[in-house]
Amino acid sequence: MSTLRFHAIKEILNRKPIKIKESKRRSELFGNNVFNQKVMRQSLTKDAYNSVINAINNGSKIDRGIADQIASSMKDWALSKGVTHYTHWFQPLTGATAEKHDAFFETIDNDSAIEKFGGSQLVQQEPDASSFPNGGIRNTFEARGYTAWDPTSPAFIYGTTLCIPTVFVAYTGEALDYKTPLLRALQVVDQAATAVCKYFDKNVRKVNASLGWEQEYFLIDSGLVASRPDIVLTGRTLLGHSPAKGQQLDDHYFGSIPSRAMAYMRDLEKECMLLGIPVKTRHNEVAPNQFELAPIYSEANLAVDHNSLIMDVMDKVAARHNFKVLLHEKPFAGVNGSGKHNNWSLGTDTGINLLQPGKTPMSNLQFLTFFINTIKAVYENEALLRASIASASNDHRLGANEAPPAIISVFIGEQLTRVLEDLESVTKGKLSPKEKTDLKLNVVGKIPEILLDNTDRNRTSPFAFTGNKFEFRAVGSLANCANPMTVLNTIVAQQLLDFKGDVDELIDKKDMKKDDAIFNVLREYIKQSKNILFEGNGYGEAWQDEAKKRGLSNNKTTPEALKARISKEAISLFEGLGVMNTVEIEARYEIEIEEYAMRIQIEGRTIGDIARNHIIPTAVKYQNILIENVRGLKDIFGASYKKHAKEQLELIEEISKRIEAINSGVTKMTNERKQANTLSSAEKRAQAYCQKVIPFIEDIRYHCDKLELLIDDELWPLTKYRELLFTK
Ligand code: ADP
Ligand code: MG
């Protein structure tokens, strides 16, 4: 091992876990830094409180006088906790969160000052945010953007700043962020689902989409990360040979958590408690130094905010522990990547989880209605759903031989498959009383029992039913969940509207009873969307062929996948429901495709630099040692030296070949990059980066990794995989 690497690791091994004091119970800490309903009840007048609750539940407007009152209470509460600044906290299309802090402090005259925060500052702000990606919507010189308070997600304190969750929109009305379309999608799914619920229960007045995300991540010592320019610049290793031991023994998964990582987790959990993020689960993941964190699920908008926030908090807390959190989907080749399973369901204001089988046949018919409609929505929009999780980094999971595949399919388990088969054979038209009784007793009535022992869980499925929710597993660890959640809730909303239309038509025109109509429509839906159901191995070659026969898309790369976002169908879907208009959709496409090209560009530049500045010089040094050795052997053995220097000569030759391959690879890649950059269409640029640049990045890596195996470990300048992955 090189002395430099050795000292770095020695220092890390001496690091002690930071002691985390937990003098209070978690339940006592929970939500302490959140201006939540409990605080509002205590601090607001009845009118103001009711006004906020009404805004949360029904989306009603909060008038100016009330906003002033709320702002004033918020300020007092924040000041009492040592807060000095406030910010409108939002999620621009960079994927990160954004904040611009202003002090409460204001001068009255030259001598005195006060702390001030009024309704106008709470409700609306105009950040000078002209540098955020906007896909051409907001030319800096014409339209401005503003942030507006989202009362459905409570304000919170982080550090000494009061953060107010907001939407970010152009003055012309277009969304410039992730939250706005999500809120619109949640509203349409609420309306559509509530209308369908009324078939079963007239008392339902609101349906909330729920989200429970599971965040996977790698935790690597910050000293080691600093030694790797690729991780610093791209969030992943661009080279590095797999260690002799990876994850094949499964000895990390669910194993005992290393003590420094444990201290980090406890510290993080404490922060989460204060912020009202109900984290509950923590464990080791499959790859070495890979972990997972999951909260109790909540309303989708809040859950999305929590996830955006936590990705930021994870980073900040990690710094205290000399760690760097890697959220990239594939930081290391050869071991598992990271995802962010999105567990999703719909729940009524009467407390019913619509994807949970119930106790009575009627409630199970409701369950089947939502279950089958979701399957159909996914079937009709599989390419769009795939597009919602497309990114340069997630391509390493979806497009490569890793879970889950790029093909979207739905796993429902053996028992529910049988239920659907039974339902598929119900009579067309009116059902006989006997058939109905039979169905209710033997099919619909049996669901809760059979689900109890429905233990088969297919880990290779990108979209799996897991007992009382669907789990969208293909979402990337780095993603903002708003994007997939916007698409999922929108497609389900559209599907439920169609369903209502179909059922009502049978009731009105065919004079059917409600139950008969529902059974009839569901039967047809099962027939139509069967092709999306898949219970087998999602990684297998056979599935790729089978999926093709079924007409399912298999878009392995982001440029290919993203096309579905701007398809005619997608535009009419989003426009029709008022979730996004054409301008917003095209802008997002533009931003995402642009970002893809930039990410690959950065990776290309980075590996080019490392190859030329680190790898080739090291290879030359080692080759010189070998040459020196051969010269020495020649001195000793004279003419017969070749017999003794055979291996060395071969090594010298191989190193030359690799150096040649690497150097010419970098030259060719640079040319391809330059070529790509001349293309004026962002789409073409992205395709060029995908098809022309990535193969060189992979090829350069291949040769560098081969050299890593040949070259004296003492000379190797980059921290190796075994050191990155196994130093705890
Ligand atoms: P796992 O998938 O790891 O076996 P669970 O099935 O218990 O674990 O749940 C995984 C996640 O699903 C948890 O984060 C939980 O909050 C979430 N979850 C459970 N029920 C729902 C629901 N109705 N809606 C959304 N998420 C849910
Ligand atoms: Mg899971």
Side-chain angles (χ1 to χ4, degrees):
M1 192 185 283
S2 76
T3 355
L4 266 178
R5 273 161 48 219
F6 177 74
H7 282 298
I9 288 179
K10 208 171 117 192
E11 196 182 313
I12 291 162
L13 293 178
N14 282 330
R15 281 182 183 161
K16 296 271 172 299
I18 292 178
K19 284 221 166 63
I20 306 299
K21 269 192 266 150
E22 288 194 75
S23 46
K24 278 190 177 167
R25 288 187 191 177
R26 302 243 163 138
S27 57
E28 289 170 309
L29 296 178
F30 186 71
N32 272 359
N33 287 350
V34 183
F35 195 70
N36 53 23
Q37 294 193 14
K38 190 171 123 197
V39 181
M40 285 194 266
R41 214 179 303 122
Q42 286 160 358
S43 63
L44 296 179
T45 62
K46 211 167 174 194
D47 275 357
Y49 177 73
N50 288 339
S51 180
V52 179
I53 297 302
N54 212 0
I56 295 173
N57 291 338
N58 310 313
S60 60
K61 286 235 164 354
I62 293 174
D63 77 49
R64 202 39 172 272
I66 299 275
D68 276 332
Q69 275 190 47
I70 298 169
S72 163
S73 298
M74 228 185 237
K75 181 194 71 182
D76 292 343
W77 170 78
L79 291 177
S80 76
K81 289 177 170 286
V83 167
T84 55
H85 287 66
Y86 65 91
T87 181
H88 274 199
W89 181 83
F90 58 105
Q91 296 164 48
L93 298 167
T94 50
T97 53
E99 43 196 89
K100 174 183 158 240
H101 299 185
D102 281 301
F104 287 124
F105 166 88
E106 252 174 54
T107 50
I108 313 178
D109 49 46
N110 288 339
D111 308 322
S112 46
I114 51 164
E115 261 70 37
K116 203 173 155 214
F117 183 59
S120 57
Q121 284 115 324
L122 166 65
V123 173
Q124 193 166 317
Q125 292 276 308
E126 194 180 314
D128 178 21
S130 48
S131 293
F132 288 115
N134 58 66
I137 289 180
R138 198 168 61 94
N139 286 331
T140 28
F141 51 88
E142 46 167 30
R144 294 167 306 168
Y146 67 92
T147 51
W149 179 32
D150 165 21
T152 63
S153 181
F156 58 89
I157 295 169
Y158 193 58
T160 51
T161 306
L162 172 69
C163 302
I164 299 151
T166 55
V167 294
F168 179 36
V169 283
Y171 269 96
T172 41
E174 286 94 2
L176 296 167
D177 66 348
Y178 280 113
K179 191 193 260 281
T180 308
L182 175 68
L183 288 173
R184 293 177 191 150
L186 293 173
Q187 199 183 351
V188 293
V189 83
D190 167 19
Q191 285 161 359
T194 302
V196 170
C197 281
K198 296 221 192 269
Y199 285 138
F200 306 95
D201 179 359
K202 291 259 178 290
N203 297 319
V204 173
R205 302 186 45 190
K206 186 174 170 66
V207 171
N208 273 321
S210 56
L211 165 65
W213 41 263
E214 304 167 52
Q215 179 73 53
E216 293 183 339
Y217 61 99
F218 280 84
L219 211 48
I220 307 294
D221 189 274
S222 47
L224 297 183
V225 168
S227 76
R228 296 280 313 217
D230 46 357
I231 305 184
V232 171
L233 296 177
T234 70
R236 75 171 179 116
T237 56
L238 293 171
L239 34 80
H241 201 280
S242 309
K245 173 183 184 284
Q247 62 189 42
Q248 56 280 66
L249 298 176
D250 276 336
D251 48 358
H252 181 68
Y253 191 49
F254 276 51
S256 81
I257 299 171
S259 54
R260 272 182 69 209
M262 180 60 116
Y264 165 73
M265 287 179 188
R266 286 179 54 202
D267 203 2
L268 174 63
E269 285 162 358
K270 216 169 115 186
E271 293 285 354
C272 287
M273 284 300 115
L274 291 170
L275 291 166
I277 306 175
V279 290
K280 191 168 165 70
T281 309
R282 62 178 181 213
H283 59 80
N284 290 358
E285 260 302 326
V286 175
N289 278 345
Q290 190 189 28
F291 305 94
E292 182 185 292
L293 168 82
I296 297 168
Y297 69 94
S298 55
E299 185 278 318
N301 174 45
L302 183 61
V304 168
D305 279 357
H306 280 166
N307 184 250
S308 300
L309 177 59
I310 210 173
M311 289 196 282
D312 196 38
V313 176
M314 284 172 92
D315 210 40
K316 293 205 169 98
V317 174
R320 296 205 278 266
H321 294 254
N322 287 308
F323 276 130
K324 190 90 191 136
V325 173
L326 306 187
L327 291 174
H328 192 286
E329 282 83 353
K330 193 73 182 174
F332 304 99
V335 296
N336 267 28
S338 303
K340 177 151 54 200
H341 296 178
N342 276 203
N343 295 273
W344 169 89
S345 188
L346 294 170
T348 67
D349 59 345
T350 54
I352 302 295
N353 175 354
L354 294 166
L355 289 171
Q356 170 138 34
K359 290 202 170 67
T360 62
M362 201 55 187
S363 62
N364 276 325
L365 188 55
Q366 175 168 276
F367 157 71
L368 283 170
T369 296
F370 284 92
F371 179 66
I372 293 165
N373 273 292
T374 305
I375 293 172
K376 181 147 185 287
V378 173
Y379 174 61
E380 308 265 333
N381 300 282
E382 43 93 19
L384 187 58
L385 209 52
R386 160 68 179 98
S388 77
I389 47 164
S391 69
S393 50
N394 210 17
D395 278 359
H396 292 281
R397 295 167 72 226
L398 306 181
N401 301 319
E402 173 146 356
I407 307 161
I408 299 290
S409 64
V410 181
F411 171 86
I412 58 171
E414 215 179 299
Q415 282 90 344
L416 281 166
T417 303
R418 243 177 277 141
V419 170
L420 295 198
E421 277 161 11
D422 286 340
L423 278 179
E424 203 187 329
S425 56
V426 300
T427 311
K428 262 200 176 160
K430 288 183 188 169
L431 278 62
S432 72
K434 177 170 181 313
E435 187 177 11
K436 252 198 236 177
T437 318
D438 258 16
L439 269 175
K440 285 190 176 160
L441 281 180
N442 297 325
V443 180
V444 180
K446 280 274 164 65
I447 295 171
E449 287 169 48
I450 58 179
L451 274 192
L452 282 181
D453 50 74
N454 182 5
T455 47
D456 59 328
R457 281 199 156 198
N458 186 327
R459 289 276 155 202
T460 70
S461 177
F463 200 92
F465 184 71
T466 48
N468 56 2
K469 62 195 180 285
F470 278 100
E471 189 167 336
F472 190 12
R473 299 206 184 110
V475 184
S477 48
L478 194 55
N480 184 315
C481 304
N483 212 348
M485 281 297 112
T486 300
V487 171
L488 181 59
N489 287 294
T490 303
I491 63 178
V492 170
Q494 183 60 57
Q495 181 52 49
L496 291 169
L497 290 172
D498 294 346
F499 173 78
K500 178 99 185 5
D502 290 344
V503 171
D504 285 351
E505 192 176 311
L506 291 184
I507 295 173
D508 296 343
K509 297 211 174 120
K510 299 266 155 96
D511 196 27
M512 271 193 205
K513 284 232 170 65
K514 186 179 70 189
D515 290 10
D516 289 6
I518 291 174
F519 275 120
N520 267 278
V521 173
L522 291 182
R523 182 196 57 233
E524 292 311 305
Y525 284 3
I526 294 168
K527 285 197 174 132
Q528 290 160 15
S529 49
K530 243 200 278 189
N531 272 348
I532 197 79
L533 298 178
F534 179 63
E535 305 284 302
N537 175 12
Y539 313 164
E541 284 275 331
W543 173 228
Q544 312 241 348
D545 300 336
E546 167 70 16
K548 200 168 175 187
K549 278 191 212 131
R550 295 190 190 186
L552 301 177
S553 60
N554 184 6
N555 295 322
K556 295 195 176 204
T557 66
T558 294
E560 252 181 285
L562 282 181
K563 283 184 195 150
R565 268 174 105 60
I566 44 164
S567 69
K568 255 203 275 137
E569 297 78 26
I571 291 177
S572 99
L573 167 74
F574 286 119
E575 284 226 327
L577 290 176
V579 172
M580 278 190 275
N581 62 28
T582 310
V583 177
E584 289 169 317
I585 295 168
E586 285 175 351
R588 264 147 228 267
Y589 174 75
E590 201 66 20
I591 289 167
E592 283 170 19
I593 202 94
E594 193 79 63
E595 175 175 347
Y596 175 85
M598 285 190 290
R599 296 245 176 233
I600 307 298
Q601 180 182 52
I602 294 168
E603 291 194 348
R605 284 180 179 160
T606 307
I607 198 169
D609 288 351
I610 297 176
R612 283 199 172 140
N613 302 330
H614 296 70
I615 307 301
I616 293 180
T618 307
V620 169
K621 258 187 227 157
Y622 183 53
Q623 200 184 37
N624 280 341
I625 293 176
L626 292 169
I627 292 170
E628 203 45 45
N629 177 257
V630 173
R631 255 197 221 111
L633 291 170
K634 202 170 173 183
D635 284 351
I636 297 170
F637 295 107
S640 70
Y641 82 99
K642 277 199 181 160
K643 203 171 83 197
H644 303 280
K646 188 169 158 284
E647 304 297 328
Q648 290 87 325
L649 287 168
E650 272 173 24
L651 266 176
I652 291 168
E653 211 178 314
E654 179 167 358
I655 291 172
S656 286
K657 267 196 246 157
R658 301 273 178 214
I659 290 176
E660 203 284 317
I662 292 168
N663 200 45
S664 67
V666 174
T667 305
K668 286 181 208 151
M669 176 186 67
T670 311
N671 288 338
E672 289 295 353
R673 282 209 331 264
K674 283 188 185 148
Q675 192 65 32
N677 293 342
T678 61
L679 301 168
S680 58
S681 128
E683 187 176 318
K684 295 242 160 65
R685 240 178 357 255
Q687 277 160 358
Y689 269 101
C690 179
Q691 287 154 16
K692 304 273 172 65
V693 178
I694 287 181
F696 282 112
I697 294 180
E698 285 167 0
D699 197 51
I700 294 165
R701 175 190 191 137
Y702 174 79
H703 293 288
C704 291
D705 288 356
K706 288 287 179 206
L707 281 176
E708 185 185 323
L709 289 187
L710 295 182
I711 287 173
D712 183 358
D713 188 46
E714 197 162 337
L715 296 178
W716 196 254
L718 296 175
T719 308
K720 291 188 170 179
Y721 263 35
R722 63 167 182 268
E723 294 148 4
L724 290 166
L725 287 170
F726 291 100
T727 312
K728 288 177 184 143

